[in-house]
Amino acid sequence: ALAELEDTEDCDELAEIALEEELQLGAYVEYEVSEQELSFSKTYAIKKLSKALEGEIAALKHRRTSELCRHRTGRAVLNTTVDSDISTLKRFLGWMRDYRDRSDDDGPPPALTIACVIGSPCLGKWCEDYITWLRSREVGWASIANYTNSLYSLLTFVATSDEYELTYESGFTCFDMLANLRRQAHGHAS
C-alpha cells in the first residue's frame, strides 16, 4: 500500500512542497564557515566576470531582493544571502574553469554564466564532482551544505527562464539531485 501511495501524483506534489519549504522557507540551517575554509575558497573563485555573467548577477540580485517578484516563491531575502549565493557561484565557476575533469565531455566546456552552467543538465554530476573535490581538500561538510544550498537557490533562479528545460537523469531532475546532495551534506555536518 505504501508503494502505491508513493506513485500517486498527490504524494509527488506533497514531496515537492515539503522540499520547497525546507530549502526556501527557512527550515534549512545555515552553518558557520571556518576562517581557513573561507580563505581557501578565495583561492579558486573566479575573479574576472564576463559582461553576460555580470548582467545575470544583477538580475539575480534584483529578483531575490525586490519586495515583490512574481517569479519568486516566498519573501525577499537579505543582500547578505544573495551575496553568499554569488560567492558560491564564483567558487563553483572557478572550479569549473580550473579544476573540473573534462575527460568525459562531449564538446567544449560551457560558457561561465549562470544560464550555461547552473542551467545545464549536467549540474547534478558537476555538483557531486565539486563536493568530492572540496572533500579532497578537507573542506567541512557544513561549508559544503551551505554551498549546495546556494547552488539550489541559483537553480531556482535559472529555472524561471523561458530557455530552461527540465531534464531527467535516471529519473531525477537537477533539483532532485541538488536536494539529495544538500541533505547528505547536512546529515554529515550534523
Side-chain angles (χ1 to χ4, degrees):
L2 183 58
E4 291 175 353
L5 179 61
E6 288 174 346
D7 289 338
T8 67
E9 224 173 274
D10 290 340
C11 189
D12 289 342
E13 184 177 327
L14 292 174
E16 288 176 26
I17 292 168
L19 175 62
E20 192 66 25
E21 287 175 356
E22 175 186 348
L23 293 172
Q24 297 292 332
L25 301 179
Y28 174 72
V29 176
E30 185 89 14
Y31 293 102
E32 286 294 318
V33 177
S34 73
E35 286 299 319
Q36 179 183 2
E37 290 174 347
L38 186 59
S39 178
F40 168 68
S41 72
K42 293 178 182 178
T43 66
Y44 67 92
I46 193 169
K47 291 166 184 58
K48 185 169 173 54
L49 309 181
S50 67
K51 292 289 183 197
L53 183 57
E54 286 177 350
E56 289 175 324
I57 288 172
L60 171 71
K61 283 184 177 182
H62 179 73
R63 180 171 301 163
R64 301 270 327 274
T65 61
S66 294
E67 187 173 354
L68 292 172
C69 179
R70 69 187 178 281
H71 297 122
R72 182 187 67 229
T73 303
R75 62 179 187 250
V77 299
L78 299 174
N79 283 323
T80 55
T81 302
V82 178
D83 290 343
S84 175
D85 291 346
I86 292 166
S87 293
T88 296
L89 172 67
K90 290 176 181 179
R91 286 187 287 270
F92 190 68
L93 293 178
W95 170 80
M96 287 284 298
R97 183 191 62 203
D98 297 332
Y99 297 98
R100 184 178 68 83
D101 178 8
R102 293 183 179 87
S103 61
D104 291 334
D105 288 3
D106 290 332
L112 296 178
T113 64
I114 296 174
C116 292
V117 173
I118 305 299
S120 171
C122 299
L123 181 63
K125 179 181 180 348
W126 291 340
C127 187
E128 185 174 58
D129 292 346
Y130 179 54
I131 290 169
T132 301
W133 181 81
L134 290 170
R135 289 299 295 155
S136 74
R137 280 143 183 86
E138 299 182 5
V139 173
W141 285 111
S143 295
I144 292 170
N146 288 341
Y147 297 170
T148 309
N149 194 61
S150 287
L151 291 170
Y152 186 95
S153 293
L154 292 164
L155 181 58
T156 63
F157 169 72
V158 172
T160 60
S161 164
D162 290 337
E163 290 81 38
Y164 180 75
E165 185 177 328
L166 187 64
T167 59
Y168 292 84
E169 177 189 322
S170 301
F172 293 94
T173 67
C174 283
F175 284 104
D176 298 331
M177 290 182 267
L178 263 61
N180 290 342
L181 293 168
R182 204 245 0 128
R183 283 188 196 109
Q184 292 165 28
H186 176 72
H188 288 293
S190 298

